[in-house]
Amino acid sequence: MFTIILKTFPPRRPTTMAASKPILYSYFRSSCSWRVRIALALKGIDYETKAVNLIKDGGQQHSKDYASFNPIEQVPTLIIDGHTLIQSLPIIEYIEETRPDSHKLLPKEPVKRATVRAIAEIVNSGIQPIQNRTVLQKVGDEGKIEWGNFWIDRGFGALEKMLSDTAGKYCVGDDITLADLCLVPQIYNANRFKVDMSKFPVISRIAEELSGHEAFIAAHPSKQPDCPDDMK
């Protein structure tokens, strides 16, 4: 059972003292926040959510308070063990390295570990940044669906080929890894941008398998306390 407590933003600047419960600065529909929520759930880490609305007031991530501890002005930020961590993949790797006895997100074997990271980076570097909100604001409303569709479709083409060789039940073999944490939120974005998922049967099969897992259900945008009622 994962307890999520919603706090309104803006917050005070995080202190360096270790808190009794980690604090995740998150936006319900942020795919990067979503990855971290899955990791926390898989690791069984209870945490507090502080919502950062990426739209309200021109984007609360751009506020002076938030930028004081996240200079790139993005979500997520995780306050844990007295540390302020930013960027989703380093946050997840920190959780993995400091909580190694619970669900392992990276395989022991170097080649498998590199494969998991490669799949994660295709999403993290090759797809998601090109279709995120900041880029779409430059593209404009008229072209944003076509833009997002093109880049996700292109990236998923590469992922489908790779996963055809690496997948078992999940992205790499039969264990849930960092790669799966990155894949699922990106499929949500693919649906938002009307990508034809019938072209990607392996990706779709893995997504279906993961959709029923407790941690993925708990981390879904519709389950977040800052999700609007009409999207739940």
Side-chain angles (χ1 to χ4, degrees):
M1 186 72 179
F2 309 106
T3 303
I4 304 174
I5 302 173
L6 177 65
K7 297 290 185 179
T8 57
F9 190 84
R12 292 177 296 174
R13 181 183 174 88
T15 65
T16 56
M17 295 178 63
S20 58
K21 183 182 292 188
I23 299 171
L24 178 66
Y25 291 84
S26 172
Y27 180 60
F28 78 103
R29 203 164 64 179
S30 157
S31 57
C32 295
S33 298
W34 190 345
R35 301 168 192 166
V36 175
R37 295 195 302 260
I38 300 169
L40 290 167
L42 286 169
K43 292 286 187 179
I45 300 172
D46 194 18
Y47 66 96
E48 177 181 326
T49 294
K50 291 193 176 181
V52 182
N53 193 308
L54 303 186
I55 300 173
K56 186 178 179 181
D57 302 325
Q60 293 175 338
Q61 73 275 21
H62 302 307
S63 72
K64 184 177 179 180
D65 283 341
Y66 190 77
S68 69
F69 57 87
N70 189 315
I72 195 65
E73 301 175 13
Q74 297 174 343
V75 290
T77 298
L78 181 67
I79 313 300
I80 189 169
D81 302 333
H83 306 297
T84 302
L85 307 178
I86 66 171
Q87 298 298 313
S88 62
L89 265 56
I91 289 172
I92 293 168
E93 294 217 18
Y94 175 87
I95 295 169
E96 172 74 355
E97 291 166 6
T98 58
R99 277 83 175 166
D101 296 331
S102 52
H103 185 106
K104 295 188 182 299
L105 300 172
L106 288 167
K108 289 183 178 180
E109 299 88 342
V111 172
K112 277 192 175 181
R113 186 176 289 241
T115 300
V116 166
R117 285 182 168 134
I119 293 167
E121 284 296 344
I122 288 175
V123 175
N124 186 57
S125 300
I127 304 175
Q128 191 275 334
I130 310 173
Q131 50 87 99
N132 71 7
R133 180 171 175 79
T134 302
V135 172
L136 293 177
Q137 286 175 329
K138 296 294 184 182
V139 173
D141 288 342
E142 289 187 6
K144 68 181 182 180
I145 295 297
E146 182 181 359
W147 176 273
N149 181 292
F150 173 82
W151 289 108
I152 296 172
D153 184 89
R154 180 179 181 273
F156 272 15
L159 269 183
E160 183 75 11
K161 291 177 183 177
M162 193 166 186
L163 293 174
S164 295
D165 293 328
T166 66
K169 190 175 181 181
Y170 304 116
C171 284
V172 180
D174 295 327
D175 296 314
I176 294 173
T177 66
L178 174 64
D180 300 289
L181 275 58
C182 291
L183 179 67
V184 167
Q186 193 58 54
I187 294 170
Y188 181 89
N189 286 337
N191 291 328
R192 285 178 60 204
F193 288 103
K194 306 184 187 308
V195 173
D196 179 6
M197 291 303 298
S198 68
K199 296 165 57 178
F200 310 113
V202 179
I203 291 175
S204 297
R205 178 187 60 75
I206 294 170
E208 180 64 24
E209 190 71 45
L210 291 166
S211 66
H213 192 285
E214 180 185 8
F216 287 78
I217 294 171
H220 193 274
S222 65
K223 300 296 184 181
Q224 303 317 301
D226 59 324
C227 179
D229 289 339
D230 62 354
M231 297 183 68
K232 290 183 177 180

